[in-house]
Amino acid sequence: MVRRLLGWISVAGLGLAVGGCGGGSQRAAASPGRGPLGGVEVIRAWAQALARGDVAGAGAYFATPSRVQIAPDQPVATVASAADARALNAMLPCGARLLDARPVARYIDALFLLGTRPGAACNGIGGTARVAFVIQGGKIAVWLRIADEPGDAARAAPGHRPPASPTALPPTARSI
């Protein structure tokens, strides 16, 4: 499974992937004294672990099994084990800062500003990436790279206010 996962990740173009940034907890299942993490907190904690270069910690935020689609035009793959989750996170070339997260149908649509991360070479620094997540039981059950929306790059500007939440994800994200 890891070879198949690594194969389609390399084909998908690593520049499309998104990582994370900042510091924070490595715990995937719960936050001390607060019970299970909410969806946005899971996304933020995953991104922070990856930004530190902690691929094992970032991998711990993925449910097994979970479904991943690195690019909108690529097939959906299954992350079947902790080793698959670590391999997936090791392949993501960029760190990122979570700019916005909003519910859209059963997904959380998250927008990231791309940046560097330890142990990887990011060629998309300053760009944006959008990912649709499904969080179940404090873990990432679905991770879909979806198309950026017009104006996403401008949303990284200081003082920008996000628009109202849409009612549906772009058609490319509806494959799950």
Side-chain angles (χ1 to χ4, degrees):
M1 179 61 197
V2 172
R3 284 187 187 165
R4 184 172 59 167
L5 180 67
L6 295 178
W8 68 255
I9 288 174
S10 63
V11 170
L14 296 177
L16 296 175
V18 63
C21 75
S25 171
Q26 294 180 26
R27 298 186 61 185
S31 178
R34 291 191 359 209
L37 292 177
V40 174
E41 288 108 348
V42 170
I43 295 165
R44 182 173 285 117
W46 162 75
Q48 291 171 342
L50 190 62
R52 291 190 307 272
D54 180 6
V55 296
Y61 286 94
F62 280 78
T64 52
S66 56
R67 297 188 293 178
V68 176
Q69 186 179 33
I70 295 296
D73 61 343
Q74 294 297 312
V76 175
T78 298
V79 174
S81 67
D84 287 351
R86 285 189 302 274
L88 167 69
N89 282 280
M91 298 298 280
L92 298 176
C94 296
R97 180 171 53 93
L98 182 63
L99 295 176
D100 185 28
R102 59 189 180 191
V104 179
R106 69 182 200 115
Y107 298 93
I108 297 173
D109 177 353
L111 176 64
F112 297 91
L113 177 65
L114 300 177
T116 61
R117 75 170 183 87
C122 177
N123 63 0
I125 296 170
T128 57
R130 193 172 280 281
V131 177
F133 293 87
V134 173
I135 308 297
Q136 293 175 339
K139 302 270 188 166
I140 299 167
V142 176
W143 190 105
L144 302 172
R145 174 65 169 93
I146 58 176
D148 286 355
E149 295 176 0
D152 275 352
R155 294 182 65 194
H160 183 273
R161 292 184 183 231
S165 295
T167 58
L169 289 173
T172 57
R174 294 186 187 145
S175 61
I176 295 284

